[in-house]
Amino acid sequence: MDSLELLLQGFATAISPMNLLYALVGVTLGTAVGVLPGIGPAMAVALLLPVTFTLDPVSAFIMFAGIYYGGMYGGSTTSILLNTPGESASMMTALEGNKMARKGRGAQALATAALGSFVAGLIATAALAFAAPRIVDIALSFGPAEFFALMMLAFATVSAVLGGSLVRGLASLALGLTIGLIGIDSQTGQPRLTFGVAQLLNGVDVVIVAVGLFAVGEALWVASRLRQSGHGVIPVGRPWLNRSDLARSWKPWLRGTVLGFPLGSLPAGGSEIPTFLSYSLEKRLARRRKEFGHGAIEGVAGPEAANNASATGVLVPLLTLGLPTSATAAIILAAFQQYGLQPGPLLFDKDPVLVWGLIASMFIGNAMLLVLNLPLAPVWARVLKIPRPYLYAGIVLFAALGVYAVNAQLVDLVVLFVLGALGAVMRRFGVPLAPAVIGVILGPLAERQLRRALAISQGDYTVLVDSPISIGLLGVAALMLLVPVVGRFLRRRIDRGEQTGSQERAEAPAGEEP
Amino acid sequence: MRIRRSRPAAFVAAACALALTLAGCGGAAGGGSGEGSGGVALDRLRIMAPASPGGGWDLTSRTAQQSMEKAGVADTVEVFNVPGAGGTIGLSRLAGERGNGNLLMTTGLVMVGAVQTNDSRHTLRDVTPIARLTSAYEVIVVPADSPYKNLGDLIAAWKKDPGSVAIAGGSAGGVDQILAGLLAQKAGVDPTKVNYVAFSGGGQSLAAILGGKVDAGISGLAEYIGQIKAGKLRALAVSSPTPMEGIDIPTIKQAGVDLSLANWRGFVAPPGLKPDEKQALIQAVEKMHGTEQWQQALEKNNWKDSFTTGEEFKAFLDGERKQVTSVLKDLGLA
C-alpha cells in the first residue's frame, strides 16, 4: 500500500466525531499552556498521561499531538503582545512582533504568526508523511562534529541581533554564555558556578532567562518611566492582514518551513536554532531592512513558521526511530511505551492505524488552530487596551506563576527577579537582550557537542572539519560573519576617499535595540 | 494490545485534572508540613517524585498513586515533583521533613550515584528505607555493522586501547556510566581511561550509535529494544543476573564477566519515624503491591517486580552505595 492510500485511511480514523473532539480539546489545551509562560506542552502531556490510561491509544495520541503544536501556536501570542515569550522558541517572534504590537499592528503580527504556523504545519506534516524515512537517514549522518558546526552557524546569526553597538551586543552575549555555564558539567558531572546552591545544579532554565530578561525586565523598565511617559494606552488598530502584509509574509513562511523542518528532525535538541536562522535570513533578504528592529512583519512570519515546522520535524526521528529530541517528544515516547507501543522502525508496519491517524489528525489540528487563532487575533490584541500599570502587574504575576510552576522552587523566583532587574538595567543602557538569551541556549549545546566530538576523536581537533557537512556549515558561518565586516570596511574606505574622514559618527547605529 | 472504547467521562476528568494540577502545582509543593498522625490507617499520603513530570521516577510515582488509591491505603494520595540534580534536591527536602509519616519519596540507583557526584549534603543514609519496587536492566549495544560480534570482541579491543572505544550513554554519573565503569573494573580495563561520551538521555545517544559516530552504547533495555528487534543495533549483553524471558540476548555473566546491574526504583520516607509510622507506610506499599492494577502496570511498562521492604531493602541500599561509590571514584567522578 502506498503512503497516500494509508493517509486517506488515516483521515477516516481521525475524522470520527470522538477523535475530532480529542483533537479540538488537545489544541485548545495546547494553546492555553502555550500562552502561560513556563508551563509548556511537555508538562501538560506529562500530567495528563496517567489519566488517559483508559483511552483508546489513537484518541490519546491525537490529543497529545494537539497539545504539542497548540503550544507552539499559543507561545507566539504573549511574545507579540506582551514581549513575554512563553517558551524560548518564540523569543525571536517577540523581537519584531512586540514592536509591531506597540505600533498598533498587534493583530497583524498575530495573524501572520497564525497563518505562518498553519502553512508550515501543513507542509511539514506532508513532508513527515511522505519523506520521513529519507530525512531520518540524513539526520543520522549528523554526529557531534556536524552539530558543533551547526551551532557555530547559529552563533553567527547573533550578528543579526547585536544592535547598533558591537561592544554592547557582545557583552550581552557573554552574559548569556556565562549564565549557560551554571550547573553540572555534562561530561564530568562537576558543578560550575553554582556557589553551593543545590538548586542551581541543574542550571538556569532558558525559560526563566527569557521570561526574566524580557517580561520582568520590561515591566520594571516601563514602571520606572511611567511617571514621565504617562499612562498611555497602546493603540490596537485595524485587524486583518492587508495585501502588502501578505505579500511580505508568504516568502518568509516558506523559507521558515524549509529551515525548520529538517533542523527539527536532527537529533540534537535546540528547537530555537531554526528560529534564529530564519530571523537572520529574513533580515538579510528583506527589502526594508531598516524596518528590522522596529516591527518588520517578515521577522514574525519567518521564525513562527520555522518554529512550527521544527516542532513537526521532531516527530520524524520520534516516529521512525523512537528518538525523542525534545522534552515533549520524550514524554510522548513514554506515552507510546505505556500503551505497549514502541516507536521505531517497526511502528509504521505494526500500527499503521495509529501512525496514519495521528498524521491525518495533525492536518485537521492545524486547520482547527487556524480557525481558533485567526479570529482571536484581534480579540487578543485588545489585551493591550488594559491600562499599563494593571497590564504590567498582570505580566509580572503570570511570569512569576509560570516560572514557579516549572520546578516549584523558590530559588527560581529569586533568579527570575534578579534577571528581571538586570533586564531593566540592560534596557536603560541600550544593551540588546536577544544575544544574552541566544548565548544561554546555544552556549551549552555547542560546548556539549564540541566536547563529545573531541572525546570520540580522543582530542584530535581535525574531527571538526572532517566531513563535508561540517565544512559547509562552518563555511557559511564564516561568510555570514565576514561579509558584513568586509563590506563595511570597503564602504568606509570609499567614504574616506570622498570626504576625508570627517563624519565618522554618521555610520553609528541607527536606532537602539530594545 | 487492548483497545477500549473511549469514554467521554474519563476524558473530561482528564481535562479537569490538568486544569487543577496546573493551577495547584505550585501550592501543592509549597506547604509540606507533616501532621504526624500515628496509627496504621493513613488519612493522607503524599509521594514526592524527585524529577520533572514525564521521567521514570515521575511515572513510577504516578502509577503507584493510582494503585494506592485503588487499594484505599489513604483517603487522598497526591504526587508532587521536586526536580533537579539527579534527585538530590528532593532528597534534601525529604531529609528536612523529619518525623513526617505521611510522605514517601521515589528513589533509585541514579540517586545513589548523584549523591556522590553532586557531593550532596544528605545521603540515602539520612532517610528511612521503605521498599524496593521495580527493576529494569541495561543493554550493551553496537551498530549493526560493527566489527564486534560479541562482548568478548568488544572487551578485547577495549583492553588493547581503552580510549579508542568510544561508548555513548546517558548523563555523567548515571546508570549507564556506572555499568561502563563496573564492566571496566571486572574486565581489567583502567576505569580512568574509559572513553565514555555522555549524552542527554537515551534518544541522543541512540542517534550517535545508529549513525556510527561512536563504537558502542549503553542504555536501558526498554529504550533500545525496538532498534534491536529491527536489526539496526546489535545487542551484545544485558545486565540481568539470569537470561530474560523472551529476549534472545546473553547476559553479561554468560558472556564471561561476573557482573549484573539492576536499575531499581523504590520508596524512602523521611528520617525520625516512629516504628508504627514506618510500619504503616510499609503496609501501605505492600497493599499497593498486591493490587491487580499495579501488577498490570508492571507488565505494561516492562518493569520487573523486585519487591522487598524494610530491613532487607536497607541492607540492599548499603550494598549499592558501596559498589557505586567505588566505581564512581575509579571513574574520577566522585
Side-chain angles (χ1 to χ4, degrees), chain B:
Chain B
M1 183 183 63
R2 229 175 324 167
I3 295 186
R4 289 185 220 161
R5 294 283 311 158
S6 13
R7 281 183 299 161
F11 151 72
V12 172
C16 293
L18 174 72
L20 284 176
T21 330
L22 290 181
C25 48
S33 68
E35 296 100 86
S37 73
V40 172
L42 296 162
D43 50 346
R44 132 175 221 264
L45 181 65
R46 304 179 73 220
I47 303 173
M48 185 202 300
S52 317
W57 284 336
D58 182 64
L59 187 62
T60 308
S61 311
R62 289 179 198 277
T63 312
Q65 171 200 23
Q66 286 177 320
S67 302
M68 283 181 173
E69 277 175 350
K70 203 67 165 215
V73 301
D75 293 341
T76 60
V77 186
E78 183 192 315
V79 173
F80 65 104
N81 299 81
V82 182
T88 53
I89 292 174
L91 180 64
S92 286
R93 192 181 285 190
L94 191 79
E97 291 272 345
R98 176 166 284 278
N100 182 353
N102 297 60
L103 181 63
L104 287 173
M105 180 183 77
T106 309
T107 184
L109 180 59
V110 174
M111 194 182 288
V112 181
V115 165
Q116 295 297 329
T117 49
N118 295 349
D119 215 0
S120 168
R121 208 152 23 106
H122 296 97
T123 74
L124 282 163
R125 264 197 283 191
D126 300 330
V127 295
T128 312
I130 299 295
R132 184 180 67 198
L133 299 172
T134 64
S135 291
Y137 295 105
E138 297 273 297
V139 65
I140 303 168
V141 298
V142 290
D145 56 2
S146 162
Y148 309 125
K149 303 288 179 210
N150 53 51
L151 192 62
D153 291 353
L154 182 73
I155 289 176
W158 210 18
K159 273 183 169 165
K160 210 184 265 170
D161 182 3
S164 70
V165 182
I167 303 173
S171 48
V175 182
D176 305 339
Q177 194 174 9
I178 290 174
L179 181 62
L182 284 170
L183 195 63
Q185 277 185 342
K186 298 267 165 151
V189 174
D190 180 359
T192 56
K193 298 235 167 73
V194 172
N195 189 359
Y196 182 85
V197 187
F199 286 80
S200 7
Q204 294 190 14
S205 63
L206 180 56
I209 305 165
L210 288 174
K213 308 289 175 190
V214 292
D215 303 289
I218 299 179
S219 180
L221 179 60
E223 290 178 63
Y224 284 3
I225 191 74
Q227 309 295 328
I228 294 169
K229 283 189 176 157
K232 304 235 171 185
L233 291 178
R234 184 186 302 142
L236 300 184
V238 289
S239 72
S240 59
T242 51
M244 294 178 76
E245 213 177 301
I247 288 171
D248 187 26
I249 306 169
T251 64
I252 298 177
K253 270 189 188 148
Q254 284 173 324
V257 181
D258 185 22
L259 172 67
S260 71
L261 183 72
N263 184 7
W264 55 269
R265 291 183 192 137
F267 280 138
V268 288
L273 296 189
K274 296 192 198 89
D276 61 328
E277 287 174 331
K278 182 179 161 188
Q279 204 47 43
L281 285 174
I282 291 178
Q283 275 174 17
V285 178
E286 274 171 349
K287 234 169 149 184
M288 174 210 84
H289 177 252
T291 61
E292 200 189 321
Q293 193 169 3
W294 178 254
Q295 296 301 328
Q296 275 176 7
L298 288 177
E299 201 180 318
K300 214 165 210 169
N301 291 305
N302 275 318
W303 291 337
K304 195 175 164 290
D305 194 358
S306 60
F307 193 70
T308 179
T309 58
E311 286 309 306
E312 216 173 298
F313 178 47
K314 187 167 186 254
F316 169 78
L317 264 183
D318 286 338
E320 290 288 281
R321 202 183 51 246
K322 279 188 196 121
Q323 192 182 26
V324 168
T325 311
S326 97
V327 173
L328 291 176
K329 283 222 170 90
D330 280 359
L331 288 169
L333 285 170

Side-chain angles (χ1 to χ4, degrees), chain A residues 191-275:
Chain A
R192 296 192 296 202
L193 295 179
T194 57
F195 306 105
V197 180
Q199 281 83 352
L200 288 179
L201 283 173
N202 265 28
V204 179
D205 202 306
V206 181
V207 172
I208 299 177
V209 179
V211 171
L213 287 180
F214 275 89
V216 179
E218 175 86 0
L220 293 176
W221 172 235
V222 170
S224 73
R225 288 161 34 115
L226 215 50
R227 219 166 275 164
Q228 286 110 20
S229 65
H231 296 223
V233 170
I234 300 157
V236 168
R238 261 173 1 96
W240 308 124
L241 296 170
N242 60 32
R243 191 171 293 226
S244 121
D245 290 335
L246 273 177
R248 290 173 63 184
S249 287
W250 72 269
K251 280 187 203 153
W253 291 340
L254 295 183
R255 283 192 290 255
T257 309
V258 170
L259 277 176
F261 183 70
L263 291 179
S265 67
L266 291 178
S271 58
E272 305 87 357
I273 293 171
T275 67

Side-chain angles (χ1 to χ4, degrees), chain A residues 110-302:
Chain A
L110 288 171
T112 196
L115 278 167
S117 297
F118 174 70
V119 170
L122 281 195
I123 298 175
T125 307
L128 170 68
F130 299 108
R134 259 151 288 162
I135 291 167
V136 95
D137 282 342
I138 301 170
L140 282 183
S141 62
F142 271 69
E146 286 81 7
F147 282 127
F148 178 70
L150 179 65
M151 304 299 166
M152 289 301 107
L153 177 59
F155 262 124
T157 66
V158 174
S159 60
V161 293
L162 281 181
S165 153
L166 190 63
V167 175
R168 286 174 187 159
L170 289 179
S172 174
L173 180 65
L175 174 76
L177 290 173
T178 312
I179 295 174
L181 283 177
I182 297 174
I184 295 175
D185 168 41
S186 69
Q187 293 301 314
T188 62
Q190 301 309 307
R192 296 192 296 202
L193 295 179
T194 57
F195 306 105
V197 180
Q199 281 83 352
L200 288 179
L201 283 173
N202 265 28
V204 179
D205 202 306
V206 181
V207 172
I208 299 177
V209 179
V211 171
L213 287 180
F214 275 89
V216 179
E218 175 86 0
L220 293 176
W221 172 235
V222 170
S224 73
R225 288 161 34 115
L226 215 50
R227 219 166 275 164
Q228 286 110 20
S229 65
H231 296 223
V233 170
I234 300 157
V236 168
R238 261 173 1 96
W240 308 124
L241 296 170
N242 60 32
R243 191 171 293 226
S244 121
D245 290 335
L246 273 177
R248 290 173 63 184
S249 287
W250 72 269
K251 280 187 203 153
W253 291 340
L254 295 183
R255 283 192 290 255
T257 309
V258 170
L259 277 176
F261 183 70
L263 291 179
S265 67
L266 291 178
S271 58
E272 305 87 357
I273 293 171
T275 67
F276 300 162
L277 294 176
S278 167
Y279 182 88
S280 69
L281 181 69
E282 294 312 329
K283 188 170 176 180
R284 257 158 231 278
L285 292 179
R287 255 188 233 144
R288 311 181 212 193
R289 208 157 138 188
K290 291 241 165 72
E291 257 186 54
F292 268 79
H294 304 278
I297 196 164
E298 293 91 342
V300 179

